[in-house]
């Protein structure tokens, strides 16, 4: 068993489809983690009509967190930031979930506001492209929310979060199984476009010359669907999105999951994600450059920076606690309420 004996930082990213542990040693990079462990989840199937996670869903979260914590401990990693994303943060019974996981595993799930997630996605994109790439506008379509951030330097000048995630819009606006009626598609397109225009309207002139970057699996899979190939510069174009939306609306999930880039687990959300992406690219301009780093990587890089500043005498737990205190997460319920409103720039 390889034991990690040098200073390291770790993030356990618990989302709708997986719980992934990534550990990076001091001086390392998320491209080459010292440790990686993943457990598959399907929390999108465990939400009832009131937005509560089912007992089975809570069991799977607890088991996944416990497995990740045990894996980290076996490799000598004792401090990991346990980041729970919107699939847990926005659940109606989030307090129950946090208590249960803490009781079973000793790990207390942590939450970042949507705005902070946007800021960290920007950090990931900026580090990937470098300072010479110029100003960036970063788009991140998650399951529950969309994060937007822009800036010229190492940190975002503004960051916002919108309740327009692929899972959320699919559940609230589209029928359970395609073909989806054109009336539904049209209504969702109008709604999302209005929300994005409102969110970016006051900074439209400022971001007009920014390079547009996509930092999410939704955008990455849409780019793959639209014709790019792994290993090449990946970009997503508005015309391709508009051509694919009616085709996605007409296909059953079984066929969607066989398309290039669309995984079986995300097939049901493909149309909703494409409609949200269309609105974002319409307002932001394009094409969208696809970045492999996102919020989790931005958090890892931020913790690595702090590790260097603190030196070997500081524990990661203290750094993680400071990350939590510094960005106003508070209680899960307060965080959920904050993430559903439009934060100020």
């Amino acid at each position: 068993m390889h034991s990690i004996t040098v200073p390291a930082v770790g993030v356990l990213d618990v989302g709708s489809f997986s719980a992934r542990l990534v550990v990076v040693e001091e001086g390392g990079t998320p491209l080459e983690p010292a440790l990686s462990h993943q457990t598959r989840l399907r929390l999108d199937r465990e939400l009832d009509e009131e937005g509560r996670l089912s007992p089975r869903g809570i069991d799977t979260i607890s088991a996944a967190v416990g497995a990740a914590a045990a894996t980290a401990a076996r490799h000598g990693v004792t401090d990991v930031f346990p980041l729970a994303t919107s699939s847990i943060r926005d659940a109606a019974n989030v307090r129950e979930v946090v208590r249960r996981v803490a009781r079973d595993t000793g790990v207390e799930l942590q939450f970042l506001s949507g705005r902070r997630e946007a800021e960290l996605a920007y950090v990931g994109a900026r580090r990937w492209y470098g300072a010479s790439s110029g100003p960036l506008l970063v788009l991140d379509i998650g399951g529950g929310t969309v994060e937007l951030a822009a800036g010229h330097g190492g940190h975002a000048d503004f960051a916002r979060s919108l309740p327009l995630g692929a899972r959320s819009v699919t559940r609230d606006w589209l029928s359970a199984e395609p073909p989806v009626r054109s009336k539904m598609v049209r209504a969702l397109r109008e709604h999302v476009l209005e929300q994005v225009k409102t969110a970016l309207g006051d900074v439209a002139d400022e971001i007009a010359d920014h390079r547009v970057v996509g930092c999410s699996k939704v955008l990455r899979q849409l780019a793959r669907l639209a014709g790019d190939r792994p290993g090449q510069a990946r970009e997503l174009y508005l015309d391709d999105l508009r051509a694919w939306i009616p085709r996605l609306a007409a296909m059953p999930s079984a066929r969607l999951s066989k398309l290039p880039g669309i995984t079986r687990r995300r097939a049901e959300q493909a149309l909703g994600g494409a409609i949200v992406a269309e609105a974002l690219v319409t307002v932001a301009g394009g094409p969208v450059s696809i970045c492999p780093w996102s919020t989790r990587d931005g958090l890892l890089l931020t913790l690595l920076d702090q590790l260097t500043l603190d030196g070997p005498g500081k524990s990661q737990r203290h750094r993680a606690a400071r990350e939590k205190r510094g960005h106003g997460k508070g209680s899960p319920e307060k965080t959920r309420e904050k993430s559903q409103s439009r934060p100020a720039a």
Side-chain angles (χ1 to χ4, degrees):
M1 177 69 65
H2 168 64
S3 180
I4 299 174
T5 58
V6 300
V9 296
V11 172
L12 172 58
D13 183 4
V14 187
S16 181
F17 294 105
S18 69
R20 186 180 181 193
L21 168 69
V22 180
V23 175
V24 180
E25 295 175 337
E26 184 175 21
T29 167
L31 282 173
E32 298 177 349
L35 174 63
S36 180
H37 176 273
Q38 182 168 303
T39 302
R40 289 187 176 182
L41 301 172
R42 283 307 304 264
L43 300 184
D44 57 314
R45 295 179 175 177
E46 302 300 335
L47 286 167
D48 63 21
E49 294 180 356
E50 297 178 351
R52 296 176 60 86
L53 280 163
S54 70
R56 183 174 65 178
I58 298 174
D59 286 343
T60 61
I61 295 168
S62 185
V65 171
T71 299
R74 286 197 302 271
H75 287 80
V77 180
T78 57
D79 290 306
V80 173
F81 191 95
L83 172 62
T85 59
S86 65
S87 56
I88 299 174
R89 182 185 68 205
D90 297 339
N93 57 338
V94 57
R95 286 184 177 274
E96 176 188 354
V97 177
V98 172
R99 284 196 299 266
R100 167 68 185 283
V101 172
R103 186 195 72 191
D104 291 352
T105 70
V107 176
E108 183 177 354
L109 295 174
Q110 304 295 327
F111 300 85
L112 301 177
S113 68
R115 176 170 182 153
R116 182 56 181 158
E117 288 186 359
E119 292 172 342
L120 290 170
Y122 177 87
V123 170
R126 173 56 69 190
R127 295 293 185 89
W128 181 264
Y129 288 104
S132 63
S133 61
L136 301 180
L137 170 62
V138 177
L139 316 175
D140 187 339
I141 304 175
T145 58
V146 167
E147 274 65 63
L148 311 169
H152 294 75
H155 299 281
D157 297 326
F158 86 90
R160 294 168 186 175
S161 180
L162 305 174
L164 297 174
R167 180 187 69 249
S168 297
V169 299
T170 300
R171 180 193 61 215
D172 296 342
W173 290 83
L174 303 176
S175 57
E177 181 64 30
V180 180
R181 290 182 297 170
S182 59
K183 183 178 181 180
M184 288 182 174
V185 173
R186 183 167 60 253
L188 178 55
R189 277 175 141 167
E190 292 173 355
H191 169 74
V192 174
L193 184 59
E194 179 182 359
Q195 294 293 309
V196 174
K197 283 182 176 178
T198 300
L200 294 178
D202 61 328
V203 294
D205 292 340
E206 299 174 28
I207 64 175
D209 63 341
H210 285 38
R211 179 178 186 173
V212 184
V213 175
C215 290
S216 70
K217 288 183 178 178
V218 171
L219 290 165
R220 186 156 61 246
Q221 290 185 351
L222 287 170
R224 177 74 175 87
L225 174 67
D228 82 341
R229 293 293 180 269
Q232 300 178 356
R234 312 187 78 173
E235 294 185 323
L236 179 61
Y237 292 84
L238 181 59
D239 288 346
D240 290 331
L241 278 170
R242 288 177 172 165
W244 268 102
I245 285 174
R247 298 170 66 181
L248 294 173
M251 291 185 188
S253 297
R255 286 190 60 193
L256 287 172
S257 63
K258 296 178 180 179
L259 294 172
I262 305 299
T263 64
R264 181 176 57 83
R265 293 181 296 164
R266 296 176 183 268
E268 297 173 356
Q269 302 176 13
L271 174 60
I275 292 173
V276 174
E278 177 196 27
L280 290 170
V281 182
T282 297
V283 176
V288 179
S289 300
I290 304 301
C291 176
W293 282 356
S294 59
T295 297
R296 180 184 62 237
D297 304 285
L299 178 55
L300 278 166
L301 292 164
T302 299
L303 293 173
L304 279 171
D305 290 346
Q306 196 60 58
L307 181 65
T308 301
L309 289 173
D310 285 346
K314 300 286 186 178
S315 73
Q316 185 175 327
R317 178 177 295 124
H318 293 160
R319 290 188 298 277
R322 182 163 54 253
E323 170 73 18
K324 178 180 178 181
R325 291 194 302 270
H327 302 286
K329 291 191 292 298
S331 71
E333 288 186 355
K334 290 182 179 179
T335 300
R336 182 173 68 247
E337 292 169 0
K338 181 187 295 184
S339 70
Q340 291 173 344
S341 63
R342 178 188 166 197

